[in-house]
Amino acid sequence: MKKDIQIPEVTDLEMAVVYEYNDIYKTDDWNVYIINNKKVDLEMMVIVSQGFSETKTTSLLRKKLDKLPANSFAKIEFIQPELFVLNNRFQVSFFEGNTLHEKTFFFKENTVKQGALRMIDEIKKRGILAE
């Protein structure tokens, strides 16, 4: 029966940690963005995030987006720099049409840092793309 299940490959979806200025609090913050490079809208998106190492695990955070339009992006959450010493996992589930898709993104420990920032054209900000 397992051989009959078709799990679609997710393409044209990216996740980034972006370093940007916060106009409200007058601070430089790290934020997580999801980027939809598809030509179709994605619906009922659920993102579950967690930081972990061999000795530590953070609480699960969940975020829901009703719709992420084609060729767009959305800010998901603020991320504290203290979490960059951990592996950070983001599990994304969504519907594309009538089909459920799932993809997991990772930011490995100590890879999110100012020296690794590069321009992310889709959002026109400097950040780091997930693996």
Side-chain angles (χ1 to χ4, degrees), residues 2 5 9 39 51 77 83-84 90 103 110 117-118:
K2 281 187 177 181
I5 298 173
E9 181 183 352
K39 293 180 168 93
E77 65 186 40
L83 296 175
F84 299 154
F90 294 83
K103 184 165 184 169
N110 299 312
L117 295 173
R118 69 174 186 85

Side-chain angles (χ1 to χ4, degrees), residues 53-66:
S53 69
E54 290 183 16
T55 58
K56 293 182 182 177
T57 302
T58 67
S59 300
L60 286 174
L61 291 177
R62 293 174 183 85
K63 174 78 174 185
K64 179 182 147 262
L65 297 174
D66 291 325

Side-chain angles (χ1 to χ4, degrees), residues 69-81:
N71 297 308
S72 71
F73 59 89
K75 187 186 295 186
I76 301 302
E77 65 186 40
F78 165 80
I79 186 167
Q80 296 174 320

Side-chain angles (χ1 to χ4, degrees), residues 6-124:
Q6 302 267 335
I7 299 174
E9 181 183 352
V10 174
T11 59
D12 299 326
L13 187 68
E14 296 180 288
M15 182 148 303
V17 173
V18 172
Y19 191 62
E20 61 189 335
Y21 186 72
N22 183 324
D23 290 327
I24 296 170
Y25 298 108
K26 310 291 186 225
T27 58
D28 290 313
D29 293 338
W30 294 92
N31 292 297
V32 180
Y33 282 81
I34 186 86
I35 304 166
N36 178 11
N37 289 321
K38 294 178 177 286
K39 293 180 168 93
V40 296
D41 297 346
L42 305 179
E43 298 177 341
M44 294 182 55
M45 182 174 281
V46 176
I47 301 164
V48 179
S49 61
Q50 185 173 41
F52 63 95
S53 69
E54 290 183 16
T55 58
K56 293 182 182 177
T57 302
T58 67
S59 300
L60 286 174
L61 291 177
R62 293 174 183 85
K63 174 78 174 185
K64 179 182 147 262
L65 297 174
D66 291 325
K67 185 181 204 178
L68 184 60
N71 297 308
S72 71
F73 59 89
K75 187 186 295 186
I76 301 302
E77 65 186 40
F78 165 80
I79 186 167
Q80 296 174 320
E82 295 81 14
L83 296 175
F84 299 154
V85 298
L86 303 174
N87 294 299
N88 287 280
R89 175 179 49 225
F90 294 83
Q91 296 170 292
V92 181
S93 302
F94 60 92
F95 280 94
E96 184 178 334
N98 291 326
T99 306
L100 179 66
H101 291 72
E102 188 174 89
K103 184 165 184 169
T104 301
F105 296 94
F106 284 98
F107 292 95
K108 289 187 179 176
E109 61 185 327
N110 299 312
T111 58
V112 177
K113 51 192 166 196
Q114 287 191 20
L117 295 173
R118 69 174 186 85
M119 184 56 74
I120 300 172
D121 294 332
E122 294 89 348
I123 58 179
K124 295 180 180 29

